[in-house]
Amino acid sequence: MRRTLLPLASLLAVAVLLVAACSDDSSSSSGSGSGPATEVDQSQIDALAKKAGLEGEVTVKGELEGKPSSGSIATELDDFYFGPTFIDAAAGSTVKVKLHNEGKVDHTFTIDSASIDETVDAGKTAEVDVKVPASGSLAFYCRFHKSRGMQGAVIVES
Ligand SMILES: [Cu+2]
């Protein structure tokens, strides 16, 4: 086998290219960490869905959990999820849920056991009063998109 200087020269060239490529990468990825979004762990979603007795897919893209403030809570209806997906509320209280459809299609806020079935057109708002039970939970869902995971629940604080 004959040794020449050529392989060494090509190795050096490759090394120089690699260093250049690496420095390019580091400069382009240095902007991370600015987003406020915290990744929601699937196990957190599963735990709350189980607690609320929800079946099937539960889509969470916005806030996972929220609490009413001064008796009301703003709730986003979007394509295709509720945010917050779970509302922690005091037993026996009445919560004014301020619905805002921020999606491109119509959605509903529906609670069968409370005879609530509010359709909110795309871009519109509505309000519903939800009577929180003494214990347990109240499942809510969108009649049009429940199969896509558009559901959530009011969970009574314990
Ligand atoms: Cu919907």
Side-chain angles (χ1 to χ4, degrees):
M1 199 189 288
R2 224 185 110 191
R3 298 177 65 187
T4 72
L5 283 176
L6 192 57
L8 181 58
S10 5
L11 274 178
L12 279 172
V14 167
V16 167
L17 283 172
L18 279 175
V19 167
C22 284
S23 59
D24 277 355
D25 281 353
S26 63
S27 64
S28 65
S29 65
S30 62
S32 63
S34 58
T38 50
E39 284 297 311
V40 175
D41 204 291
Q42 184 63 42
S43 62
Q44 289 178 272
I45 301 171
D46 292 345
L48 286 167
K50 189 179 176 188
K51 189 176 178 184
L54 301 185
E55 291 182 353
E57 191 185 343
V58 179
T59 303
V60 177
K61 285 187 182 172
E63 198 185 346
L64 176 64
E65 271 185 290
K67 276 189 186 192
S69 169
S70 302
S72 75
I73 185 164
T75 299
E76 171 195 3
L77 287 70
D78 213 328
D79 311 337
F80 299 92
Y81 62 92
F82 292 97
T85 307
F86 296 95
I87 298 171
D88 300 310
S93 64
T94 298
V95 176
K96 187 177 289 296
V97 181
K98 297 179 174 180
L99 307 168
H100 186 184
N101 186 344
E102 297 179 13
K104 292 184 169 61
V105 299
D106 299 351
H107 296 293
T108 78
F109 181 86
T110 304
I111 302 178
D112 290 335
S113 62
S115 298
I116 291 172
D117 184 25
E118 187 76 32
T119 301
V120 189
D121 294 348
K124 301 293 189 192
T125 61
E127 283 185 5
V128 292
D129 286 329
V130 176
K131 184 88 179 76
V132 180
S135 63
S137 61
L138 273 182
F140 56 77
Y141 63 95
C142 169
R143 265 191 295 114
F144 308 139
H145 309 110
K146 187 181 182 183
S147 65
R148 300 177 76 151
M150 190 165 177
Q151 58 173 332
V154 175
I155 297 178
V156 178
E157 289 177 321
S158 50

